[in-house]
Amino acid sequence: MSSYEDLRGAAANDEIILDDMGIPSVMVKIPLVYLDELGIGSAHVPHPAFIINDKVVPYIYVSKYINVVKNNRAYSLPNQDPANCITFDRAVEVCYNKGAGWHLMTAAEWGVLHNLITAAGLEPRGNTSQGKSHIKAYERGVLSPQNPAGVYRTLTGTGGKNWEALGVNDIVGNVHKWVVARLVNGEIQIVPNNNAAIHNTDLSENSAAWRAIMPNGTLVAPGTAGTLKFDYTATPPTTGSTGNFCLSTTVSMQQTTEDPYGAKDFGTLTAKSGVTVPDLLKALAFFPNSDKTGRGYFYMRNKGERLLLRGGNYGLGGDAGEAHGSFPLPRSFSDVNVGLFSAFVDPALYA
């Protein structure tokens, strides 16, 4: 399915956005929302997803479907086998290849989706148990005919309305989705506001675009003393599995092997005594706000660079969810259960 006419019926109440080659994607328009409207703090300031190049934009577009990659470009289309076995850098590339305004979904964009879902009291489900929901086993998607043995990706958008939230399908499960954010030796690093939406922003390991976060919410150069970090509260078992962790301003339990990682239900994340949690972390869905139900686990390693995956995959069961965040893997990681969402913001809005 690639022509504009073919997509008219599938799009329903969504919008068709064309890339610079005139090829369509089905996108969901998210209007401007303010932090206090989401129950985050008391200041009437725009959510960072709507601040680009110091301009406030009235809306953004996010993919309705997990993307497929065709001709080195990412597209949001129904009834497709989700793109998979894709590294972070490749995910960035196939989004930028579509032209100005197109980009890999950012931490700010995922954060606003999470907070809108929370504010609306939604609990989206998805492919979290080998092609079906682990909560409602009768909810099934159509298994991809391209699955190898033991793989249970479902075709995009085939799970029904309960696998959709805010118009976005498969935000929970199916495949992990790369998102623009990272840890470096435990330090939380982002690109300010939604500036990663700007075409060809450098997201490489040594890019100067990355910024760390202070407890008061200001952004500073990586490595600045006192920035926010994820650290272990107990040494994880040497074989991996789980270990509690918390928000901190120091890294006292740096791991020396690849196996151990920290894991904790998102709703139970806590800060070390004396550490202030800024509204920014709640806006990015890096820390719970008023909702404590979780809807996903958070994972991390505080050794080296670790890029962010969100949403969970077809085998995670209750660990998956739109609050799920995974920081244990390098940018070179690829797997049959790792894909992406692209997003779009009209460059004229922030020129």
Side-chain angles (χ1 to χ4, degrees):
M1 181 180 291
S2 59
S3 73
Y4 184 94
E5 291 300 324
D6 287 343
L7 283 173
R8 284 188 185 275
N13 296 321
D14 305 304
E15 297 196 30
I16 303 297
I17 307 294
L18 308 180
D19 67 7
D20 63 3
M21 292 184 65
I23 300 174
S25 285
V26 186
M27 307 295 287
V28 177
K29 190 176 189 176
I30 308 295
L32 171 65
V33 66
Y34 292 77
L35 291 186
D36 60 329
E37 296 171 341
L38 294 168
I40 300 173
S42 58
H44 190 64
V45 296
H47 187 283
F50 300 93
I51 304 173
I52 305 175
N53 196 28
D54 294 325
K55 306 287 180 60
V56 177
V57 300
Y59 52 83
I60 60 176
Y61 288 98
V62 298
S63 289
K64 184 175 184 66
Y65 304 105
I66 298 173
N67 285 188
V68 62
V69 176
K70 299 178 183 291
N71 299 317
N72 288 322
R73 291 165 172 241
Y75 293 102
S76 170
L77 299 169
N79 299 303
Q80 305 288 309
D81 180 40
N84 58 89
C85 293
I86 187 166
T87 66
F88 175 81
D89 288 335
R90 177 66 172 155
V92 170
E93 176 187 23
V94 296
C95 294
Y96 284 156
N97 284 349
K98 291 165 65 64
W102 292 97
H103 56 278
L104 182 66
M105 185 176 283
T106 66
E109 289 164 342
W110 190 283
V112 77
L113 291 178
H114 162 79
N115 279 288
L116 284 167
I117 287 168
T118 299
L122 304 176
E123 295 189 11
R125 299 187 288 273
N127 173 10
T128 51
S129 181
Q130 289 74 51
K132 62 184 184 297
S133 165
H134 73 281
I135 300 171
K136 305 285 187 181
Y138 57 82
E139 292 179 0
R140 293 177 177 270
V142 177
L143 288 172
S144 170
Q146 298 180 47
N147 285 339
V151 175
Y152 298 92
R153 294 189 303 266
T154 48
L155 299 181
T156 55
T158 61
K161 286 296 182 181
N162 289 325
W163 291 14
E164 179 181 304
L166 309 176
V168 180
N169 280 269
D170 294 329
I171 194 169
V172 174
N174 208 355
V175 295
H176 289 291
K177 281 68 71 173
W178 285 116
V179 170
V180 181
R182 69 178 186 174
L183 299 184
V184 177
N185 295 329
E187 183 180 67
I188 302 166
Q189 296 182 10
I190 60 170
V191 176
N193 293 316
N194 205 13
N195 287 351
I198 299 172
H199 193 58
N200 285 336
T201 296
D202 184 3
L203 301 176
S204 65
E205 183 173 2
N206 297 318
S207 170
W210 296 108
R211 310 300 286 174
I213 305 170
M214 297 297 291
N216 65 3
T218 60
L219 301 182
V220 295
T224 299
T227 58
L228 292 172
K229 303 167 180 71
F230 283 129
D231 191 30
Y232 296 100
T233 59
T235 302
T238 57
T239 54
S241 120
T242 61
N244 288 336
F245 66 95
C246 67
L247 186 68
S248 181
T249 54
T250 60
V251 175
S252 59
M253 304 191 77
Q254 180 74 34
Q255 297 303 298
T256 58
T257 68
E258 282 295 307
D259 286 341
Y261 57 84
K264 203 171 188 182
D265 183 86
F266 177 77
T268 67
L269 286 176
T270 58
K272 189 175 180 180
S273 178
V275 174
T276 301
V277 181
D279 289 343
L280 177 58
L281 252 60
K282 299 173 184 178
L284 300 177
F286 289 171
F287 201 87
N289 189 29
S290 58
D291 181 63
K292 304 297 182 184
T293 60
R295 300 192 308 279
Y297 257 62
F298 234 60
Y299 295 81
M300 57 78 74
R301 285 189 178 99
N302 60 2
K303 173 180 180 247
E305 185 194 44
R306 308 290 173 170
L307 279 296
L308 179 59
L309 294 164
R310 302 220 72 159
N313 64 35
Y314 56 75
L316 279 188
D319 287 2
E322 107 287 333
H324 171 98
S326 187
F327 276 116
L329 297 165
R331 66 175 57 227
S332 59
F333 181 79
S334 70
D335 199 81
V336 293
N337 59 25
V338 173
L340 73 148
F341 280 132
S342 60
F344 176 79
V345 186
D346 185 349
L349 297 176
Y350 54 85

